[in-house]
Amino acid sequence: MSAASEKTRVLTGITTTGTPHLGNYVGAIKPAIAASQDPTVQSYYFLADLHALIKCQDPRRVQESRLEIAATWLALGLDTDNAIFYRQSDVPEITELTWMLSCVCAKGLMNRAHAYKAAVAENEAAGNQDPDKGITMGLFGYPVLMAADILMFNAHKVPVGRDQIQHIEMARDIAGRFNHLYKGQYFTQPDAVVDERVEVLGGLDGRKMSKSYNNTIPLFVSEKKLLKLVRKIKTNSLEPGEPKDPSTCTLFQIYSAFATPDETEAMRTEYANGIGWGEAKNRVFELLNEQLREPRERYQALMEDPGHIEQVLLQGAERARAEAAPFMDRLRQAAGLGRFV
């Protein structure tokens, strides 16, 4: 048994449809990079570019996002010696496994997927006679692709938000069905990991920071642009000298996500003393700019050297396929698709 097989396997996918922002960093990237440096964990991090095609048919945007996200993770310190970092589309065994899993997955299970049900409900609310109008097979069946991502590497743990727990349960269902049909323990039952401590940052308008709301602060914008965006963060009309409530303030939330405990407590006192919004925004900018300066420089250097990023991803894909290819041989044999001799 290899050392990698004895470790806890943790798998995370990053959909390549947007530019990483502060909320992505605090909620997903920072804890994942810390895990990548843990020698007791075998981490799998992949660019979910096949998933991206479900909701983005702009080839240029998908290509740009793949490069930006890869550069972001590398600039922030992803340990690619320990973690396996790859593009989903570079591991063709994943799509082959998707088909095999589709053939044991009940359609009724997919009918219950939240994303599909939401799309149907939207059509019905709009009065469309066809409840499936505009819904692709990619959207309908993407929980199977997600299951293949997870089961290909027999991940033990999959960090997700609450909205993704259903997909891990589906992966467990599909894994159990395959194991039962083909009479073997081919797949491990993965567990969803939801970290309640992970903070969901507010955006410029106070709602959750999200590309959908166009209220994000991208991680590696220039200093000038960063200052401009921080100054756009929505605040209330309280004047300087009036005490302010940090618990309802997006500015304070962002500050505390990047500050030390001592810095956070000092800022809390400033709020009680009635710090002005202009000064509070300057403090947030200064903290963010200081912490992001070096990663920003590394990011820019990486973006100017796509050949290096390509090499890192290809090396990651080679490591991923070293596991995936022999496993697929075993699964083909189980399903009657093995070679004759």
Side-chain angles (χ1 to χ4, degrees), residues 27-89:
I29 302 174
K30 187 178 180 180
I33 286 177
S36 80
Q37 297 161 352
D38 184 344
T40 68
V41 173
Q42 179 58 68
S43 299
Y44 298 82
Y45 297 114
F46 65 96
L47 304 181
D49 50 358
L50 297 177
H51 283 285
L53 301 182
I54 294 168
K55 54 185 177 182
C56 184
Q57 282 80 46
D58 179 349
R60 182 177 174 182
R61 185 67 205 115
V62 172
Q63 184 79 336
E64 285 176 350
S65 181
R66 295 196 308 166
L67 185 64
E68 290 169 354
I69 290 173
T72 296
W73 282 68
L74 295 175
L76 290 168
L78 181 68
D79 184 350
T80 54
D81 291 330
N82 185 32
I84 298 178
F85 185 47
Y86 58 97
R87 270 181 306 230
Q88 186 185 32
S89 59

Side-chain angles (χ1 to χ4, degrees), residues 52 76 189 238:
L76 290 168
Q189 295 271 319
L238 290 174

